[in-house]
Every structure is written in structure tokens, then in C-alpha cells.
Amino acid sequence: MFRLAFAALLALSACIPAPPDVSRFIEPALSATGDQVVDLTRPEICQARDETPAVIETVVQSRQDAGGYQTETVQRIVADREEIWFDTPCRDSWTPAFIASVQRALIVRQLMNGPADGVMDRRTRSAIRVFQRDEGINSDVLSIAAGKRLGLIVYDRDEALAK
């Protein structure tokens, strides 16, 4: 009896259509924003964290002594690892249409090749990183400041008047 009921349940579950693959649209939004924190004093603004790795210089020196050549390798930290926080569009803003707008803005600036497909992929993230390096942000998460420079995020009135 149990086997018959289990077989019937298994057969019926095969008839239920699989849900549509929406991960193409959900995952880009999550990967586009990385670790995100909402500032409770400004709930419409989220903040992202990024870490810049330490820069290490390796110097190999050779010197000759009575026994032949001696090689010595020395490493030193040129720049420390740095954690940065910056304002970024919140996850609900990262729709396929917004991602396509970001892509079109980057394509126009010749920072990436088309098409603008609305998917946050490696080429889009790389282009975002290149674009916002001028702002001192070495991240593939779009900052609010970079979004404003791209013409995708509206300046508030006080900000516009100050410019």
C-alpha cells in the first residue's frame, strides 16, 4: 500500500512543470550589490563594502661571494589592505532594465562591448570597476556617485545647486 501511494506521488510530481528560471534576473541583482547594508537614517540608500587587497612588492637580489652566487628574496607591503564603505543603489533597484541602462552607459563610454542584455556579468562588473576608479573606488559594485556621473541616478536639489 505504501509503495503504491509513493509511486503515485512520484508520478504526479513529474507532471508539475518546473518553475521558470528566474535566477538570470535574481542572481545579477545579488551579485551586483555584494555585501550590502541599509543606512537606517537614509533607508533609500544602501552601502556596500569592498576590500582592496594589500600590495606586496617582491625583490629578488643576487650577490656573489666566495662560494658563488647567493639569491635572496625579500617581500614588503607597499600598501596595506583597505576596507571601504560607499553608498550604492539598493538591491531592488537592480532590475534587468537598470542593469541594461548601466551597460548602455558603459558601452557609450567605450568601457565595454555590447550588447546591453540586462545581465550583471563579468564584463559589466569589470567596466564598472574601471569607470569608478577615478573616484577612488576600486570595486565592481556601482556607487551612487558613479551612477550619477553615468546619468542614471538623479541628483537631489541641494546637490545639483552645489555643482
Side-chain angles (χ1 to χ4, degrees):
M1 177 80 170
F2 177 73
R3 285 185 183 168
L4 184 60
F6 181 72
L9 183 63
L10 190 60
L12 285 174
S13 68
C15 297
I16 299 171
D21 181 20
V22 295
S23 65
R24 177 172 183 229
F25 300 109
I26 294 172
E27 284 305 310
L30 297 176
S31 63
T33 57
D35 294 329
Q36 199 174 70
V37 175
V38 177
D39 181 352
L40 295 177
T41 62
R42 302 175 304 158
E44 72 284 356
I45 300 292
C46 293
Q47 292 184 325
R49 177 184 62 85
D50 199 39
E51 293 181 7
T52 14
V55 178
I56 300 174
E57 177 182 70
T58 303
V59 178
V60 179
Q61 298 174 338
S62 296
R63 55 185 162 86
Q64 185 177 8
D65 60 9
Y69 284 96
Q70 297 293 324
T71 303
E72 180 180 67
T73 303
V74 178
Q75 290 186 332
R76 68 182 179 97
I77 296 176
V78 178
D80 289 330
R81 181 188 72 80
E82 186 179 2
E83 179 179 87
I84 57 171
W85 285 89
F86 54 92
D87 292 346
T88 184
C90 293
R91 283 191 176 105
D92 58 350
S93 301
W94 287 94
T95 62
F98 181 73
I99 294 170
S101 295
V102 171
Q103 291 171 329
R104 282 190 296 275
L106 294 168
I107 290 167
V108 166
R109 288 164 178 81
Q110 299 180 349
L111 295 173
M112 69 178 279
N113 296 322
D117 57 8
V119 176
M120 182 58 74
D121 52 12
R122 182 178 294 146
R123 68 189 176 94
T124 306
R125 289 190 304 271
S126 295
I128 289 170
R129 182 180 301 274
V130 169
F131 180 74
Q132 59 189 13
R133 276 192 187 141
D134 292 344
E135 309 223 345
I137 299 175
N138 186 16
S139 174
D140 60 359
V141 177
L142 184 72
S143 68
I144 293 285
K148 288 177 180 178
R149 282 186 29 227
L150 286 171
L152 302 173
I153 299 174
V154 178
Y155 284 88
D156 64 21
R157 179 178 161 79
D158 296 334
E159 218 176 0
L161 293 175
K163 296 213 176 256

